[in-house]
């Protein structure tokens, strides 16, 4: 019998933004709050890093300071974006109707 060790990666130490982050919010100058499946963390970033992050086509702006990872959206229902399975522990964000069509289009092409 072969034993395989699973690699466990700590997002607090090695954050892979496109893979780990469901959405992020911009806070005070230079501060970004990342929201993942089971964590929320704040990181200081330079203006250049934030500029690259907000220009990334993986993320779509749904509010003045909120960007969602389109690849991580599982469904859009009742003016809300769902990430993963729907349930009491799922991450949910309100989504204005004017952004829902664009997000649905991006999901269809992803």
């Amino acid at each position: 019998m072969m034993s395989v060790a699973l690699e466990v990666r700590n997002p607090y130490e090695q954050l892979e933004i496109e893979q780990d982050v469901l959405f992020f919010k911009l806070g005070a100058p230079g501060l970004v709050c990342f929201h993942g499946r089971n964590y929320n963390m704040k990181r200081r970033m330079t203006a250049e890093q934030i500029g690259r992050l907000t220009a990334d086509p993986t993320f779509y702006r749904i509010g003045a300071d909120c960007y969602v990872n389109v690849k991580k959206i599982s469904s859009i229902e009742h003016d809300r974006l769902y990430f993963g399975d729907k349930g009491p522990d799922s991450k949910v964000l309100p989504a204005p109707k004017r952004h829902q069509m664009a997000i649905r289009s991006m999901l269809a092409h992803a």
Side-chain angles (χ1 to χ4, degrees), residues 15 27 45 81:
L15 181 66
M45 299 180 86
L81 303 177

Side-chain angles (χ1 to χ4, degrees), residues 7-63:
E7 182 180 327
V8 178
R9 192 172 46 79
N10 184 347
Y12 289 99
E13 295 172 3
Q14 299 173 324
L15 181 66
E16 292 184 28
I17 293 174
E18 284 188 22
Q19 180 180 338
D20 297 331
V21 175
L22 301 177
F23 61 95
F24 67 87
K25 293 182 178 183
L26 303 176
L31 189 64
V32 181
C33 185
F34 294 102
H35 298 265
R37 198 172 67 112
N38 57 359
Y39 65 86
N40 300 324
M41 75 173 83
K42 293 180 182 177
R43 290 257 171 108
R44 291 253 172 233
M45 299 180 86
T46 65
E48 182 179 307
Q49 290 172 320
I50 292 172
R52 282 195 309 265
L53 184 62
T54 57
D56 186 338
T58 304
F59 292 94
Y60 181 80
R61 182 179 174 189
I62 64 165

